[in-house]
Amino acid sequence: MINIRSDREIELMKQAGHINYLTHLELRKHLKPGVTTNELNSIADKFIRSHGGVPSCLNFEGYPKSICISINDEIVHGIPSNRKLRNGDVVSIDFCTGLNGYQSDSANTYIIGDAPKEVVNLVENTKKALYIGLSQIKPGAKIGDIGHAIETFAHEHGLSVVEELVGHGVGTSIHEDPDVPNYGEAGTGITLKKGMVIAVEPMLNLGKKDVAILDDDWTIVTMDGSPSAHFEHTVVVTDDGYEILTGDKD
Ligand code: MF3
Ligand code: CO
């Protein structure tokens, strides 16, 4: 079932999304070689709670930490640990924040220091792919329009699209209907309506699209070891387009 959210519910989700956004900004200050992913997890957990929010990845389907940090060939759901960030790492930070029973979900990818041009392009183009996907959103558009736009852009830039993981509806739960794939045919799938809230989250790889899961049963990696990037926003369908609930254009 796809929920249509009232103006009041959207206002609450915007408040949750704002804390999520502020937490991303806080984390950015600490992204330097030598910081451990556990330290970043703890900074985010404290920051979210001090703003009255709930770090809702923690214990979600048994996930053991408050945020996901996925480095280099890790695509999503990397578990914070004693691993230290190093110069050249491609670091995706993805997490959900709840407030008053409503959820928000967003992700960003950063390069620590310098990386080869092709890796910089991977990250920049994955961010662009998110906004190209979002630009399809308006009442009457189809869910497939989003994935088609993302996939076309990715392929034009020599990047592959992860298919095993998809975007999703967001509401009182982190994961609601509908699925929002990052690939597909334009004009297919469910019709978007005002008040639907979805998370769009392209995951693009520099190499092949195939993925594997690590022994921790969470971390998804590229099969060929190539780097991967991930950007995500939670948005609401408005009268004539969409509004981002998890921050502004960064
Ligand atoms: N943004 C992630 C997703 O949509 C967050 C899931 S929370 C986790 O898959 F705890 F399961 F990682
Ligand atoms: Co998500």
Side-chain angles (χ1 to χ4, degrees):
M1 184 197 58
I2 302 175
N3 292 300
I4 301 292
R5 300 293 173 183
S6 68
D7 290 349
R8 183 190 142 272
E9 288 179 296
I10 290 161
E11 186 50 41
L12 291 172
M13 295 184 77
K14 211 179 274 185
Q15 288 170 17
H18 190 61
I19 299 174
N20 195 286
Y21 174 59
L22 294 178
T23 309
H24 277 288
L25 296 184
E26 178 64 24
L27 284 167
R28 269 179 217 182
K29 298 181 196 162
H30 300 273
L31 294 177
K32 295 189 182 110
V35 69
T36 70
T37 53
N38 265 341
E39 284 162 351
L40 296 170
N41 180 77
S42 150
I43 289 163
D45 183 284
K46 287 197 183 82
F47 190 91
I48 292 168
R49 292 181 199 279
S50 73
H51 286 74
V54 178
S56 36
C57 284
L58 183 62
N59 298 324
F60 177 75
E61 294 178 4
Y63 185 74
K65 296 280 177 169
S66 298
I67 65 176
C68 303
I69 305 182
S70 309
I71 304 174
N72 299 333
D73 60 323
E74 299 173 354
I75 303 168
V76 286
H77 301 167
I79 303 176
S81 68
N82 291 328
R83 180 170 178 175
K84 288 186 164 89
L85 299 189
R86 299 165 57 162
N87 186 56
D89 278 348
V90 178
V91 180
S92 153
I93 303 187
D94 177 17
F95 55 93
C96 305
T97 301
L99 183 72
N100 298 318
Y102 288 86
Q103 299 296 332
S104 60
D105 185 6
S106 74
N108 284 286
T109 300
Y110 309 95
I111 292 173
I112 306 304
D114 339 285
K117 186 81 185 118
E118 58 176 5
V119 175
V120 174
N121 288 344
L122 163 73
V123 174
E124 284 178 358
N125 285 327
T126 306
K127 184 170 185 174
K128 282 187 190 157
L130 168 60
Y131 288 98
I132 285 165
L134 292 176
S135 71
Q136 302 298 313
I137 298 175
K138 60 181 180 199
K142 304 285 185 186
I143 211 86
D145 297 347
I146 301 170
H148 181 72
I150 291 171
E151 182 177 40
T152 303
F153 180 81
H155 290 169
E156 278 168 8
H157 291 84
L159 303 173
S160 65
V161 177
V162 173
E163 295 178 354
E164 281 78 359
L165 297 130
V166 296
H168 47 90
V170 182
T172 51
S173 304
I174 299 173
H175 286 169
E176 298 190 353
D177 290 338
D179 280 354
V180 185
N182 297 301
Y183 56 89
E185 297 299 320
T188 65
I190 64 114
T191 303
L192 297 176
K193 296 195 177 80
K194 184 186 173 189
M196 287 181 182
V197 178
I198 57 174
V200 179
E201 49 177 319
M203 289 150 264
L204 304 185
N205 301 344
L206 196 52
K208 297 208 169 72
K209 67 178 181 178
D210 310 83
V211 308
I213 185 158
L214 297 187
D215 284 343
D216 63 18
D217 279 340
W218 277 103
T219 314
I220 311 283
V221 295
T222 58
M223 194 90 97
D224 62 9
S226 68
S228 183
H230 177 212
F231 285 84
E232 174 175 26
H233 270 312
T234 302
V235 307
V236 59
V237 183
T238 59
D239 278 319
D240 56 358
Y242 69 94
E243 183 182 352
I244 294 174
L245 302 179
T246 42
D248 209 353
K249 283 213 166 203
D250 62 355

